[in-house]
Amino acid sequence: MRGGPEFGSAEGVAVLPHWMMEKLELQYGEDVVLETVQLQEGTYVKLQGVTSDYADLSDLKAILEVKMRDFFTLSIGDKISIYVDHL
């Protein structure tokens, strides 16, 4: 099982990266309640390109398999960016 990055902080304090605060619609210093949940493992994801540039890639499947390893979770409606060096 693969986990996310670890963030250290004082007891009773959670330090979140900016992107996560935006995703959760949190303001700096806002109180939150955290709880652990077991997420159901996904079996399918549908991706839609914003431009047609990706259509020119010779091995799109392999590129996506590597790039998607950067995402620990996805939610319905998420928009993600995947950059390929030669595009």
Side-chain angles (χ1 to χ4, degrees):
M1 185 171 169
R2 186 174 168 189
E6 292 191 24
F7 304 97
S9 65
E11 185 173 336
V13 175
V15 177
L16 302 177
H18 184 73
W19 66 265
M20 189 179 293
M21 289 180 63
E22 285 183 341
K23 178 76 176 166
L24 297 171
E25 299 179 1
L26 298 174
Q27 300 299 315
Y28 179 78
E30 184 175 351
D31 287 340
V32 295
V33 176
L34 303 176
E35 65 181 80
T36 303
V37 297
Q38 184 67 38
L39 298 175
Q40 191 175 26
E41 187 172 316
T43 58
Y44 175 80
V45 63
K46 181 178 180 180
L47 302 174
Q48 178 180 346
V50 176
T51 69
S52 60
D53 294 343
Y54 67 91
D56 296 331
L57 297 173
S58 61
D59 199 356
L60 180 59
K61 182 176 186 269
I63 291 170
L64 287 173
E65 286 173 349
V66 170
K67 297 291 187 175
M68 291 300 292
R69 292 181 190 144
D70 293 338
F71 299 94
F72 297 103
T73 64
L74 292 175
S75 297
I76 294 172
D78 275 355
K79 293 181 181 175
I80 61 173
S81 297
I82 296 177
Y83 298 98
V84 179
D85 293 335
H86 55 280
L87 284 183

